[in-house]
Amino acid sequence: MKEVFVRVDRCLGCHSCQIACAVEHSASKKLFGAILESPGPRYRLFIEKADGLNIPLTCRHCDPAPCAEACVAGSITRDARGAVVQNENRCIGCWTCVMVCPYGVVGRKQDRKVAVKCDRCQDREVPACVGACPTKALLFAEPDEFGAAVRKSRAGVLVGTLLG
Amino acid sequence: MERTTDGSSTAVLNAAGREAVETVWDRFEKQSPQCGFGELGTCCRNCLQGPCRIDPFGGGATQGACGATADTIVARNLARSIAAGTAAHSGHAKHLVHALLKWAEGKAPDYPVKDEAKLKAVATRVGIPIDGKTTQTLAKELAEKALADFSEKETPVTWAATNVTAGRVETFLKYGLVPTGIDSVVSEVMHRTHYGVDADPVNLLLGGVKCALADYAGCHMGTDLADILFGTPKPVVSRMNLGVLKDDAVNIALHGHNPVLSDVIAQMAKDLNGEATDAGAKGGINLVGVCCTGNEVLMRHGIPSATHSVSQEVALLTGAVDAMVVDYQCIMPSLQTVAECYHTRIITTMPIAKISGATHMEFNEENARETAKSIVRMGIEAFKKRDPNKVSIPKNALNALAGFSTEAIVEALAKVNAEDPLKPLIDNIVNGNIQGVCLFAGCNNVRVPQDQNFIAMAKSLAAQNVLLLATGCAAGAFGRHGLLTSEATNQYAGDGLKAVLTAVGEAAGLGGPLPLVLHMGSCVDNSRAADLAVAVANKLGVDVNKLPVVASAPEATTEKAIAIGTWAVAAGLPTHVGVVPPVLGGALVAKVLTEDVKDLLGGYFIVETDPESSAAKLMDAIRERRKGLGL
């Protein structure tokens, strides 16, 4: 199952992922339309700065997912794709999910006391944030695939360190 | 996405081997998706604390580090674009002024005044007494008066104040929009958009309008001086599109904007025909135009236009261009990279516009003909290295009737009514044969399949009896699609419009209707259309903002287009833009530009990307104006 992976050394902090996320979750699905909508759409990922690096924080779709486990209304469930999704009609706005999320990536709808989180773009093959990233800091890949790429690059570093 | 609706360009792009060469469309694809902050105009890089960006979805920053709001940032960015456009147009004009002054002082013998009547007319208009003066003296005085318009003065910019209606002057004075120097107002915009100066979005926009009026002055001066030096255009038959390139000739493309060099090349190229035939080119030298330099030499010499704007690289993909001589503005840096796939020489000529890898032949007015000769010889040398296996010239070249300066239009109308040339035009607007007038201007834009909006809108408006004028790459688009012809009038014009164009065309001795679209020249020559509107307004005794006249840049690209669009609005015209300019991030700015400004100036922007809806909105604006006049 593919996940969104982050290569933190590549993030320039341009926020294009956030714009694409909000546009994808708007009614018009177009930038010039989305900014005029009321209530406006919310993006579901965030960029923080730590130790001089830009760190995109995205929902990890954990399993078990602390947010789903903690949801007293049963509004957060896992869908057929394995993504942890939220049914806003059942949400009671108790914010327990916000309190337990290890990444702090559950937000609030603009107009209502309802939680909002990443749904890994149900209508898209590749999530909007990944598609929008100009430096490919965000990747949509199988964990094994991502790990293999990391191993390959680290192997090179190791050779340099041990034999160089 | 479809790249172009121009059949000749499509044929070249699809020819074998061409797909390996990267062009604007490939590069644009790699830019996608583009930055949303940039698209909305809400990225500020005006200080070293930036870039600051405003979150359009309200979750993050609502102000820049300094406290600038989205509207402040958008307005500052827009004003700077207008200033850049103004600097470009007026730089072009200034160049021509220097050429005239050098001739008057005996330093540039290759630039004699060609149109003395225009020299006298312009001098009179700007308040220089002409009686008893030699051409040299008058030229010197006019050039000095023009140069004085660039720096800060106590009085309004002459070329702005003397080329508008009295009503406009009053409106501009009322809102503090009168520039007192072209360069000084560009400088003022840079000052007021600097860190911590003007933060009021509306005040910034008014500053932008003031600068745009200096752009109008620059455009007008560019037209006036080019006419004086090289002649005022008269109707001329030529051909357009890539089929104007020749297998058996040395093909030299003249690209850019200023006629100051290209006109001299046009004057002397045939002197070197013998050298070209000696080199094996039976057809001699074949000059072709690209973009507005192309328009300038088309209007005055009938030199055919190969292509325009977004398809400039495609001309090189034919493998048949031996040299492309460029001056400045709208010259893609990629041309050199594309040229390296062929034998083509890219020759830069201006000290302020060089391209790495290209051949630089610095041009100056003092020895214009000699430089021009060396440049043409370079084309002949390159021809010898042309690889016939790489040549693929589309057959298609369409007839085009161009050369409609304001003077030429008035002259044609005078054939219908010698006493009162504007009367036939006004009578037909009043009786509804002509519903209104639309000026098409501006560029192609890679976001739009090339020419799609121009052609769809022109056909729709013509069918609804709107008289169409065009300049710059807009005129080029119409020419490459065959709309600068009598045939197009017969095919697409509504009955009323067709009757008028036929009557005037036949009276003027064309043996048929005027073309569906009147080609008025290059992009600085939007001033010609403004002159026509001012003349009609003065004749009717109403201001321009009451006339059923609209403007459209349906595929705009450049900052120059933004400046022109802004002065069109200031002139009082409903002005359509067919691509979304980077202003929507500032809700107040967007509202001012599309609604509130109407109450101040009469003109306003219409932003619409769909060509059919665009034509419908322009028709609505024309009907509203007609209603206002009781028509």
Side-chain angles (χ1 to χ4, degrees):
Chain A
M1 194 177 63
K2 287 187 172 182
E3 303 280 0
V4 175
F5 287 96
V6 180
R7 296 193 280 186
V8 291
D9 53 331
R10 286 177 169 241
C11 178
L12 298 178
C14 74
H15 299 268
S16 295
C17 52
Q18 290 182 298
I19 300 248
C21 178
V23 170
E24 178 62 24
H25 294 94
S26 70
S28 67
K29 304 222 170 189
K30 292 197 167 68
L31 175 64
F32 299 140
I35 60 165
L36 302 173
E37 286 171 22
S38 182
R42 305 309 303 257
Y43 44 75
R44 293 118 195 263
L45 79 164
F46 302 86
I47 323 285
E48 297 297 334
K49 212 164 177 94
D51 290 341
L53 285 177
N54 302 307
I55 314 291
L57 290 162
T58 67
C59 172
R60 308 309 314 154
H61 297 275
C62 318
D63 189 6
C67 57
E69 301 258 303
C71 181
V72 294
S75 79
I76 302 180
T77 54
R78 189 172 303 276
D79 72 8
R81 301 170 301 149
V84 177
V85 296
Q86 191 244 3
N87 178 347
E88 62 177 64
N89 296 324
R90 296 189 67 161
C91 178
I92 58 170
C94 69
W95 310 129
T96 312
C97 52
V98 177
M99 290 186 273
V100 301
C101 174
Y103 295 91
V105 291
V106 181
R108 180 193 194 282
K109 269 198 106 81
Q110 199 181 53
D111 58 326
R112 284 189 293 145
K113 192 169 184 250
V114 166
V116 59
K117 71 174 291 300
C118 170
D119 59 359
R120 215 200 265 144
C121 290
Q122 299 185 358
D123 303 332
R124 295 175 59 110
E125 205 172 309
V126 175
C129 55
V130 176
C133 182
T135 61
K136 306 276 182 280
L138 299 180
L139 286 179
F140 193 52
E142 296 285 348
D144 282 348
E145 207 182 325
F146 187 79
V150 172
R151 283 197 300 277
K152 204 166 178 182
S153 105
R154 287 295 178 274
V157 174
L158 209 56
V159 168
T161 312
L162 296 177
L163 305 177
Chain B
M1 197 182 88
E2 188 185 7
R3 292 176 284 187
T4 172
T5 64
D6 179 323
S8 294
S9 281
T10 304
V12 175
L13 286 166
N14 292 341
R18 267 61 180 179
E19 66 281 352
V21 184
E22 203 175 56
T23 60
V24 61
W25 294 279
D26 306 305
R27 293 188 299 271
F28 180 67
E29 203 173 303
K30 288 183 187 162
Q31 285 298 325
S32 176
Q34 289 177 303
C35 172
F37 300 99
E39 288 187 285
L40 295 171
T42 50
C43 176
C44 180
R45 296 184 295 116
N46 293 12
C47 87
L48 303 187
Q49 296 175 140
C52 288
R53 289 149 300 167
I54 307 303
D55 186 341
F57 300 108
T62 56
Q63 297 177 349
C66 69
T69 62
D71 282 305
T72 300
I73 293 171
V74 169
R76 286 202 299 223
N77 290 342
L78 181 63
R80 283 197 169 194
S81 289
I82 294 169
T86 305
H89 281 140
S90 62
H92 169 152
K94 203 191 291 175
H95 199 160
L96 291 163
V97 177
H98 282 301
L100 182 67
L101 185 59
K102 283 179 189 172
W103 174 77
E105 291 172 342
K107 295 178 197 157
D110 300 335
Y111 290 93
V113 167
K114 185 157 184 201
D115 191 338
E116 292 197 25
K118 181 103 185 196
L119 172 67
K120 286 178 183 161
V122 175
T124 305
R125 200 178 62 220
V126 300
I128 301 173
I130 60 171
D131 290 342
K133 286 178 187 158
T134 64
T135 304
Q136 272 88 346
T137 306
L138 199 52
K140 188 168 193 296
E141 285 181 22
L142 185 74
E144 280 164 354
K145 182 115 184 165
L147 282 182
D149 251 2
F150 284 87
S151 36
E152 185 92 20
K153 298 180 291 174
E154 295 297 318
T155 50
V157 168
T158 309
W159 259 261
T162 55
N163 294 305
V164 292
T165 57
R168 288 291 91 188
V169 171
E170 199 179 306
T171 304
F172 298 155
L173 284 170
K174 183 173 164 194
Y175 298 111
L177 303 177
V178 180
T180 52
I182 297 171
D183 287 349
S184 87
V185 74
V186 171
S187 171
E188 181 185 289
V189 167
M190 297 312 284
H191 177 191
R192 70 199 293 166
T193 56
H194 182 273
Y195 181 75
V197 185
D198 202 352
D200 178 341
V202 175
N203 202 44
L204 278 158
L205 292 177
L206 291 173
V209 173
K210 179 174 166 185
C211 187
L213 292 174
D215 183 76
Y216 174 58
C219 287
H220 211 297
M221 193 188 287
T223 301
D224 288 342
L225 272 284
D227 284 356
I228 290 167
L229 285 167
F230 309 118
T232 303
K234 294 185 165 59
V236 60
V237 179
S238 188
R239 289 165 74 73
M240 282 214 196
N241 220 331
L242 294 167
V244 304
L245 293 166
K246 291 180 183 165
D247 265 325
D248 67 348
V250 175
N251 293 309
I252 298 177
L254 307 171
H255 178 17
H257 282 77
N258 203 325
V260 77
L261 165 63
S262 54
D263 203 277
V264 176
I265 295 179
Q267 292 168 32
M268 52 63 62
K270 57 181 176 300
D271 299 352
L272 298 185
N273 264 341
E275 291 183 30
T277 46
D278 289 350
K282 282 186 218 135
I285 309 279
N286 180 40
L287 297 180
V288 300
V290 176
C291 287
C292 278
T293 289
N295 284 321
E296 298 278 358
V297 292
L298 165 70
M299 294 285 282
R300 296 195 182 84
H301 298 273
I303 287 172
S305 295
T307 199
H308 306 86
S309 188
V310 79
S311 54
Q312 56 189 263
E313 294 160 296
V314 182
L316 305 190
L317 294 187
T318 61
V321 175
D322 302 301
M324 183 179 260
V325 187
V326 303
D327 48 77
Y328 39 51
Q329 300 167 23
C330 308
I331 295 146
M332 290 190 202
S334 63
L335 286 169
Q336 176 57 25
T337 315
V338 175
E340 283 165 13
C341 299
Y342 301 90
H343 70 297
T344 311
R345 294 288 286 272
I346 302 292
I347 304 168
T348 56
T349 57
M350 298 293 156
I352 62 159
K354 297 186 182 182
I355 299 172
S356 304
T359 306
H360 187 71
M361 295 273 295
E362 192 137 319
F363 170 77
N364 56 59
E365 295 77 35
E366 286 81 349
N367 52 5
R369 287 183 83 87
E370 280 313 304
T371 315
K373 233 178 231 179
S374 310
I375 287 170
V376 173
R377 285 195 174 118
M378 206 172 270
I380 296 171
E381 282 309 303
F383 167 81
K384 294 177 187 165
K385 295 181 192 143
R386 192 195 290 178
D387 179 352
N389 297 319
K390 285 188 172 179
V391 173
S392 157
I393 304 173
K395 294 278 164 283
N396 209 5
L398 300 172
N399 289 330
L401 183 56
F404 289 96
S405 58
T406 314
E407 290 86 342
I409 291 175
V410 172
E411 202 172 304
L413 290 168
K415 298 281 164 54
V416 181
N417 186 336
E419 305 271 293
D420 194 354
L422 290 177
K423 193 166 183 295
L425 177 62
I426 290 169
D427 286 350
N428 280 291
I429 291 174
V430 171
N431 70 22
N433 276 337
I434 294 174
Q435 289 290 308
V437 182
C438 180
L439 166 65
F440 281 103
C443 340
N444 291 127
N445 184 312
V446 68
R447 295 172 194 279
V448 183
Q450 188 185 16
D451 307 333
Q452 171 195 279
N453 292 358
F454 283 116
I455 305 306
M457 289 179 68
K459 287 181 181 172
S460 171
L461 292 172
Q464 297 178 78
N465 297 307
V466 174
L467 176 65
L468 306 178
L469 312 175
T471 59
C473 289
F478 296 127
R480 282 181 286 106
H481 288 262
L483 299 193
L484 303 183
T485 57
S486 303
E487 292 77 19
T489 304
N490 287 327
Q491 195 173 350
Y492 300 113
D495 291 340
L497 178 64
K498 197 185 295 177
V500 178
L501 292 177
T502 304
V504 179
E506 284 178 353
L510 297 175
L514 290 176
L516 186 70
V517 185
L518 302 181
H519 187 330
M520 298 193 81
S522 65
C523 46
V524 292
D525 294 335
N526 282 302
S527 63
R528 300 191 198 276
D531 280 350
L532 196 59
V534 168
V536 170
N538 285 338
K539 170 93 186 142
L540 282 174
V542 299
D543 203 355
V544 178
N545 65 344
K546 305 286 183 222
L547 299 179
V549 179
V550 297
S552 172
E555 302 179 22
T557 286
T558 65
E559 290 167 311
K560 291 182 296 173
I562 295 175
I564 293 171
T566 306
W567 64 250
V569 166
L573 307 186
T575 301
H576 166 251
V577 186
V579 292
V580 181
V583 299
L584 294 193
L588 173 70
V589 170
K591 185 170 170 292
V592 169
L593 295 173
T594 54
E595 297 174 23
D596 303 351
V597 68
K598 190 177 180 182
D599 295 332
L600 299 183
L601 302 171
Y604 54 95
F605 282 103
I606 299 166
V607 178
E608 174 58 61
T609 56
D610 175 69
E612 294 300 333
S613 309
S614 302
K617 286 179 180 177
L618 289 175
M619 277 314 295
D620 287 344
I622 286 172
R623 284 190 204 101
E624 187 182 294
R625 292 287 170 97
R626 291 186 68 86
K627 205 172 158 195
L629 289 170
L631 301 175

